[in-house]
Amino acid sequence: MLLRLKQTLQSLKRTATISKAQAIKNLSTQIKKQDVPTEKLDCVVIGAGVVGLAIARELASIGREVMVLDSASTFGTGTSSRNSEVIHAGIYYPPGSLKALFCVRGRELLYKYCYEHGVPFKQTGKLIVATGPLEFSKLNELMNRGTQNGVDGLKMLEGFEAMKMEPELQCKKALLSPVSGIVDSHSLMLSLVGEAENNGTTFSYNSTVIGGHLEGNCLHLHIVESKNLENWNGDYPLQPELVLVPNLVVNSAGLSSLALAKRFHGLNSCIIPPGFFARGCYFTLSSTKVPPFEHLIYPIPEDGGLGVHVTLDLDGQLKFGPDVEWIDSIDDVSSFLNKYDYSVSASRAERFYPEIRKYYPNLKDGSLQPSYSGIRPKISGPRQSPIDFVIQGEDIHGVPGLVNLFGIESPGLTSSMAIAEHIASRFLK
């Protein structure tokens, strides 16, 4: 394997008179004086989530040498394994936005890939429901937007038509999206890993990119073994055990992509957007042998998310969520190691019941059981308008060979292959 991390982290001591920023700046010079192995290679993808895996597969499939680095012990341990597993149609996003373009294109690529590679999926269809007249205008807006985005088959239904399709549903109107669906995200990622490896991609897990510096117009990545970060207490600057000098770097680190970019010394911090984090909890429906719904059921979108909706997994298990809980950021190292609080308090169910009963009035007390949670890597905060995906290349930040992916939240799973296609076509030299 190309990447062989040393076992001991050599530390630089920080004096009281040196600021953190100055210490990080001095690190670039200090590395040259230390016996830190340096390796040159073609392409490095930081992050083995579904987007990073799709990018690695795409780059490897056209003959590029690719290495994927992830701080975890395996792939997809962050946001990619903590979402609704929904294949979105492309309804919600402003026409012409990256989210709209990549979602529609990504859906087509994803269905095709799943069919050809035996990845479990199901085109269930989705109903976006209005439970009162005040929501009709928003529903019409969603239909118009989806039509502009090129989503096929959209149909506005009267309440009785939707409730005939789903007898447990209560609504006044509904927007039917027949091309929406669900996918086994773990099987998808496992398939992408296999495809990438078959084309020569190297995966290095337990390997954390802690920053980098510009030298000779090239970005040098600083790598440490993840276990050596566990005992770091912040009292000294982090020093790399290995430096990688790639021709192309794709920062697809998800929740830590912003924190990592800020540690690329020489990158203008003004181009890095602010980060926000929204945790969403999921609850499963217990004590039911037959799921009450066959379609995905979505309410009108809310601030920060798409509302507490109904999704199914491929085993027929019904789940509700996610809600939106804005949380504080954590320190960089904890972010790199994905040390977020993913616990689900049973008490949060009390907030779910009234929201769900707006469209599912027969939901019984005590039937919701805590399941799991995920965190959205957002670049817009509470009561702010949603912001599009941000994909930054040299034309924006001036660093040759660096591509930053920021704010890749929903529909990131659906868009993953379209994002990979875009990276390969635009940023390779």
Side-chain angles (χ1 to χ4, degrees), residues 279-283 320-323 325 343-344 348 352 372-374:
R279 179 166 50 217
C281 295
Y282 293 83
F283 285 78
F320 296 92
D323 59 350
E325 178 189 7
S343 61
V344 180
R348 290 195 72 81
F352 275 61
Y372 64 95
S373 73

Side-chain angles (χ1 to χ4, degrees), residues 3-238:
L3 178 58
R4 292 186 177 276
L5 295 174
K6 292 185 175 181
Q7 298 299 311
T8 305
L9 176 63
Q10 297 179 348
S11 305
L12 296 174
K13 293 184 178 180
R14 181 183 66 179
T15 67
T17 58
I18 298 178
S19 69
K20 180 179 179 182
Q22 185 63 45
I24 294 173
K25 184 176 182 179
N26 290 345
L27 183 58
S28 301
T29 303
Q30 189 68 17
I31 286 171
K32 300 176 184 179
K33 301 178 182 180
Q34 301 290 330
D35 185 20
V36 180
T38 299
E39 299 278 0
K40 292 185 178 181
L41 68 167
D42 189 15
C43 303
V44 167
V45 177
I46 306 170
V50 67
V51 174
L53 296 177
I55 293 169
R57 169 189 172 269
E58 184 73 19
L59 296 177
S61 70
I62 56 178
R64 303 304 289 258
E65 177 196 30
V66 183
M67 171 172 283
V68 179
L69 302 173
D70 198 284
S71 62
S73 59
T74 188
F75 60 86
T77 61
T79 305
S80 296
S81 60
R82 295 177 171 276
N83 56 64
S84 298
E85 299 187 302
V86 169
I87 301 176
H88 288 285
I91 298 169
Y92 299 99
Y93 321 109
S97 66
L98 293 182
K99 286 185 177 180
L101 296 171
F102 290 160
C103 186
V104 173
R105 173 61 176 164
R107 167 173 51 80
E108 296 171 351
L109 293 172
L110 184 53
Y111 275 135
K112 184 175 185 290
Y113 183 89
C114 290
Y115 178 79
E116 292 178 348
H117 293 81
V119 175
F121 74 98
K122 185 177 181 181
Q123 191 169 320
T124 59
K126 174 196 293 186
L127 290 168
I128 305 174
V129 299
T131 57
L134 294 179
E135 297 178 330
F136 290 175
S137 61
K138 183 62 177 179
L139 203 61
N140 288 327
E141 179 184 328
L142 289 174
M143 182 169 182
N144 292 335
R145 182 176 293 180
T147 300
Q148 291 180 64
N149 290 342
V151 180
D152 297 327
L154 294 177
K155 184 179 180 181
M156 192 69 72
L157 304 177
E158 294 298 329
F160 73 89
E161 294 176 296
M163 291 186 287
K164 186 176 181 180
M165 295 172 61
E166 293 286 5
E168 290 290 337
L169 177 65
Q170 178 175 287
C171 67
K172 299 299 183 182
K173 281 191 176 183
L175 177 59
L176 173 63
S177 169
V179 298
S180 301
I182 54 176
V183 63
D184 182 335
S185 59
H186 181 81
S187 294
L188 172 62
M189 289 189 286
L190 185 62
S191 178
L192 292 172
V193 169
E195 288 265 300
E197 287 182 330
N198 288 342
N199 284 298
T201 297
T202 300
F203 286 83
S204 184
Y205 300 116
N206 299 306
S207 303
T208 303
V209 184
I210 57 170
H213 70 278
L214 277 174
E215 183 179 326
N217 216 30
C218 293
L219 181 63
H220 290 50
L221 297 177
H222 303 170
I223 321 294
V224 300
E225 194 169 2
S226 296
K227 69 179 183 180
N228 291 330
L229 291 179
E230 295 287 347
N231 298 322
W232 186 74
N233 59 10
D235 288 341
Y236 50 83
L238 296 170

Side-chain angles (χ1 to χ4, degrees), residues 346-420:
S347 64
R348 290 195 72 81
E350 297 308 312
R351 304 183 184 186
F352 275 61
Y353 284 105
E355 294 301 313
I356 297 169
R357 283 177 176 145
K358 291 177 182 178
Y359 57 82
Y360 178 29
N362 290 332
L363 179 66
K364 296 179 180 179
D365 288 336
S367 61
L368 296 180
Q369 301 296 320
S371 184
Y372 64 95
S373 73
I375 297 175
R376 306 168 180 89
K378 302 181 77 68
I379 49 179
S380 58
R383 294 172 298 281
Q384 295 179 355
S385 298
I387 294 180
D388 200 7
F389 292 154
V390 172
I391 299 180
Q392 294 181 344
E394 182 181 357
D395 58 323
I396 295 176
H397 52 57
V399 179
L402 171 64
V403 181
N404 283 320
L405 306 185
F406 297 141
I408 311 298
E409 54 170 333
S410 180
L413 172 62
T414 307
S415 302
S416 56
M417 290 186 176
I419 293 173

Side-chain angles (χ1 to χ4, degrees), residues 220-288:
H220 290 50
L221 297 177
H222 303 170
I223 321 294
V224 300
E225 194 169 2
S226 296
K227 69 179 183 180
N228 291 330
L229 291 179
E230 295 287 347
N231 298 322
W232 186 74
N233 59 10
D235 288 341
Y236 50 83
L238 296 170
Q239 178 170 343
E241 300 165 9
L242 177 70
V243 173
L244 295 179
V245 188
N247 297 318
L248 176 70
V249 177
V250 182
N251 174 11
S252 183
L255 291 169
S256 61
S257 62
L258 292 165
L260 178 57
K262 291 175 182 178
R263 286 176 168 267
F264 290 154
H265 177 64
L267 180 68
N268 186 352
S269 61
C270 294
I271 60 89
I272 302 173
F276 303 90
F277 302 92
R279 179 166 50 217
C281 295
Y282 293 83
F283 285 78
T284 56
L285 186 64
S286 64
S287 304
T288 178

